[in-house]
Amino acid sequence: MKKINVKFNNSIGKFVGSIDQDIVAAIGNFDGIHIGHQKLIYEAKNEAKKRNLPFSIITFTPHPRDFFSKNNANFKITDELEKQRLLKNLEVDYYINISFDNYIRELEPKEFIKNILKNLLNVKILFAGQNFRFGKDRSGSLVDSFKIFREFDIDPLISDLLKKDQNTISS
């Protein structure tokens, strides 16, 4: 598993960290890698195999909840090292870690799709859960931003959330 760190470099005024080939990616925070995450990951991984493309995980550090709630106690199930270990066992080609900072926080959904997913990471197919939100004020989703994804030749695919006893499985 190759690790790619994506962040905005203020001194050069642009993002750094890139992939030079098309990829299939699952995006999310993946805290705990529970069975709902595993379902999403296996769906994305199977699509990558079908298309003969590298399979990638896109995640964020710090977790956006940590970024916005710095005074709250740690809520995470797994730390960064454990998350990487668990994902490595799932045969991930690229582990993409986006540094969640004020610059990322302020990106509109279209800018995130264009600048990060398309221009830096060459995402061809993006998998996410139904509840995944991104962009400034969490204003983007795979459904809300469908036309924007297609504008940049990215196929957004939504993975249905797993439920147990009427409750969504979530970390």
Side-chain angles (χ1 to χ4, degrees):
M1 175 171 80
K2 183 174 181 184
K3 185 175 179 187
I4 307 291
N5 290 311
V6 173
K7 66 181 179 175
F8 189 78
N9 185 323
N10 287 318
S11 63
I12 60 173
K14 65 180 187 176
F15 285 99
V16 295
S18 63
I19 297 176
D20 61 1
Q21 61 184 327
D22 288 345
I23 63 169
V24 173
I27 191 169
N29 289 302
F30 301 108
D31 186 24
I33 319 295
H34 57 65
I35 60 172
H37 292 140
Q38 291 172 34
K39 175 185 177 287
L40 169 68
I41 289 166
Y42 286 121
E43 288 173 358
K45 187 174 177 179
N46 287 336
E47 188 66 28
K49 283 182 183 178
K50 275 195 260 182
R51 296 186 187 234
N52 199 28
L53 292 173
F55 169 59
S56 307
I57 293 290
I58 301 172
T59 192
F60 303 88
T61 300
H63 188 297
R65 195 176 305 158
D66 273 345
F67 181 84
F68 289 109
S69 306
K70 292 178 174 79
N71 296 330
N72 287 352
N74 187 355
F75 63 90
K76 292 186 288 191
I77 297 168
T78 55
D79 65 19
E80 187 65 24
L81 289 174
E82 179 66 6
K83 181 166 56 170
Q84 287 179 46
R85 187 188 67 75
L86 291 168
L87 290 169
K88 187 175 185 178
N89 290 338
L90 296 174
E91 300 175 6
V92 173
D93 295 308
Y94 292 106
Y95 177 82
I96 303 162
N97 186 24
I98 298 175
S99 293
F100 194 88
D101 58 17
N102 280 318
Y103 196 86
I104 292 289
R105 171 188 172 198
E106 292 296 322
L107 283 177
E108 295 292 338
K110 184 172 185 172
E111 294 170 320
F112 182 82
I113 293 167
K114 177 185 175 189
N115 295 333
I116 305 290
L117 299 178
K118 182 64 179 179
N119 293 345
L120 275 181
L121 301 177
N122 282 304
V123 173
K124 191 71 177 160
I125 303 163
L126 184 70
F127 282 79
Q130 292 170 305
N131 58 352
F132 179 73
R133 308 293 300 182
F134 66 96
K136 184 176 182 176
D137 299 324
R138 296 175 40 96
S139 58
S141 74
L142 271 59
V143 172
D144 298 337
S145 305
F146 182 83
K147 288 181 181 177
I148 299 169
F149 280 106
R150 294 305 306 137
E151 179 183 333
F152 294 104
D153 197 30
I154 298 172
D155 292 327
L157 298 175
I158 299 169
S159 180
D160 293 332
L161 300 177
L162 276 181
K163 295 185 183 248
K164 183 176 181 179
D165 301 328
Q166 308 289 21
N167 295 315
T168 299
I169 295 172
S170 174
S171 48

